[in-house]
Amino acid sequence: MVSVLGTCWKRLFPVAFFLCLSALQGCAEMSAHQHFTLGNTDMEKKLVWPPPPDVPRFIYSGELTGEANFVSDDQNQKARSGIAVAFEWLTGLIIGEAPPVVMQRPQAGVVDEHGRIYVTDASRKAVFVFDETGGQLLVWDRAAEMTRFAGPVGIALGANGEILVSDAELGVVVRLGHDGAPLGSFGKGILKRPTGLARDPKQGLLYVADTRAHDVKVFDDQGRLVNTIGHSGDLAGEMNAPTHLAFAGDELYVTDSLNSRIQIYSGNGDMLRQFGDRGLYVGNLVRPKGVAVDNEGHVYVIESYYDHLLVYDKDGALLMSIGGSGTQPGQFYLPAGIWIDRRNRVFVADMFNGRVEVFQFLGES
């Protein structure tokens, strides 16, 4: 009898135990509430560019890494019940500590009108969504119902609230709904290695940097190819492995990476101007990557070889630089993409540091 009861208890205990855990988890989730933070400290807030006594134009705001950007409210933290604490302890004891959800190799990003920050991560093969209003981190890894992302790089806001993601390995641009649900894709068989994305919302055109084809392909909102800009070469209007794009003021900015320059085109693909030269000095472009334009017309370029963020005027004259190699705030290690939101916050995908650094542009005045 004892052995029978013992056997039953051994079989039933794990079930009962995990039922209790589930109940406890439900209580914990109901009381959980988090808020978004960039995690900057008082010391980091003092980082400005240029440094005193010059008038500062940029201030360091913090960084995005993953779930560490969402913390429990102080009041809620104090009110946490013993049940919630016990649940965390028991699950850690039985299952082990869950590794934190963090970015590994962020590539590019965009911010929507609700303040949601979307970041592609080629190493995690996913899109990280930092939802400030909802107080939660989401990780989207599906390019289709039965297909995971393989190499997400570029990202842009599409029509009707869609999120568009280029996958360099799958060779397509993926459509995602606001909830991350895959809605289809386009470019299969047309794109060789799609990377950077930029969209003209007025004309409803999506520009796709096709790095391996050495051109930029233009699609309408239905996913139909309507134009191709550039071809392989090093003359004006030609390209050698374009990577990142930006669209601002009815102009398309193309990072012509292996030609070490930025080329600017009209929306229709007419070559307008270019800037950038190879060299050994800060301000030269050796391996330019991300490009962005703020609402005052300044052009931002990521120089990945020298680990710098370079700021130019609209004619390509260098205004200032931020960065240098390292892991400290305001330093970079092989940075990639850059993007700017409506609040003139500048986001830099600090790729090999596994983070996105955020700078606030303070304006010219």
Side-chain angles (χ1 to χ4, degrees):
M1 178 67 70
V2 174
S3 60
V4 172
L5 289 175
T7 301
C8 292
W9 171 245
K10 289 179 181 178
R11 291 177 178 176
L12 291 175
F13 176 76
V15 177
F17 182 76
F18 280 102
L19 285 174
C20 291
L21 285 182
S22 299
L24 294 175
Q25 183 179 19
C27 295
E29 289 177 348
M30 287 177 63
S31 63
H33 187 270
Q34 296 179 314
H35 69 267
F36 174 78
T37 176
L38 289 173
N40 58 329
T41 66
D42 291 338
M43 179 183 69
E44 292 166 348
K45 287 179 182 178
K46 296 177 182 178
L47 290 174
V48 296
W49 293 266
D54 293 329
V55 177
R57 305 300 183 191
F58 296 89
I59 185 170
Y60 183 81
S61 295
E63 64 181 23
L64 302 172
T65 57
E67 65 178 357
N69 291 105
F70 296 89
V71 298
S72 298
D73 292 335
D74 290 340
Q75 183 177 0
N76 184 65
Q77 186 72 17
K78 293 176 182 178
R80 291 176 70 217
S81 66
I83 293 177
V85 174
F87 168 73
E88 292 178 2
W89 179 80
L90 287 172
T91 52
L93 182 65
I94 300 299
I95 303 174
E97 292 293 333
V101 179
V102 296
M103 292 186 291
Q104 294 176 352
R105 296 290 183 265
Q107 297 290 313
V110 69
V111 183
D112 70 13
E113 60 182 1
H114 304 293
R116 263 184 162 194
I117 306 166
Y118 305 85
V119 184
T120 57
D121 190 320
S123 180
R124 287 295 303 268
K125 301 180 180 180
V127 176
F128 279 66
V129 185
F130 296 82
D131 189 347
E132 181 174 357
T133 302
Q136 61 179 334
L137 174 69
L138 306 172
V139 181
W140 298 341
D141 63 1
R142 294 287 177 180
E145 185 176 351
M146 301 298 293
T147 304
R148 294 180 181 273
F149 282 113
V153 178
I155 189 165
L157 303 176
N160 304 315
E162 292 182 355
I163 310 300
L164 305 173
V165 181
S166 65
D167 193 301
E169 299 299 325
L170 297 178
V172 296
V173 175
V174 177
R175 288 193 177 101
L176 299 177
H178 192 259
D179 58 355
L183 303 176
S185 64
F186 58 88
K188 189 71 173 179
I190 299 174
L191 296 165
K192 294 183 178 180
R193 186 174 179 80
T195 51
L197 298 181
R199 183 171 178 270
D200 175 5
K202 293 180 182 178
Q203 297 189 74
L205 296 177
L206 180 72
Y207 300 87
V208 183
D210 196 345
T211 301
R212 190 169 292 160
H214 308 291
D215 60 27
V216 173
K217 293 182 171 68
V218 188
F219 296 84
D220 63 17
D221 282 336
Q222 287 70 48
R224 297 175 296 215
L225 180 68
V226 297
N227 194 10
T228 300
I229 301 173
H231 58 270
S232 180
D234 58 7
L235 300 177
E238 298 176 341
M239 303 179 194
N240 189 358
T243 53
H244 291 260
L245 307 175
F247 194 89
D250 297 324
E251 294 180 339
L252 175 68
Y253 292 75
V254 180
T255 300
D256 189 9
S257 289
L258 294 188
N259 280 330
S260 302
R261 65 189 178 187
I262 302 297
Q263 297 200 80
I264 300 97
Y265 298 81
S266 70
N268 295 324
D270 298 323
M271 176 67 185
L272 300 177
R273 60 192 184 278
Q274 67 179 42
F275 67 88
D277 296 291
R278 293 184 179 92
L280 301 175
Y281 302 101
V282 173
N284 293 138
L285 298 179
V286 179
R287 285 294 181 269
K289 291 293 182 68
V291 61
V293 183
D294 67 23
N295 59 17
E296 294 189 11
H298 303 110
V299 184
Y300 300 74
V301 180
I302 297 298
E303 173 39 59
S304 63
Y305 187 85
Y306 288 127
D307 296 317
H308 271 91
L309 164 59
L310 305 175
V311 186
Y312 300 86
D313 67 16
K314 60 184 180 63
D315 297 316
L318 180 67
L319 299 176
M320 66 175 301
S321 66
I322 297 173
S325 301
T327 61
Q328 297 302 308
Q331 297 178 330
F332 309 112
Y333 182 20
L334 287 178
I338 183 171
W339 62 101
I340 302 173
D341 68 5
R342 297 182 180 186
R343 295 153 59 180
N344 266 346
R345 293 185 300 178
V346 180
F347 299 80
V348 177
D350 189 10
M351 184 170 61
F352 269 62
N353 279 326
R355 64 186 180 184
V356 173
E357 293 199 81
V358 187
F359 305 85
Q360 179 67 59
F361 176 51
L362 303 176
E364 291 288 358
S365 59

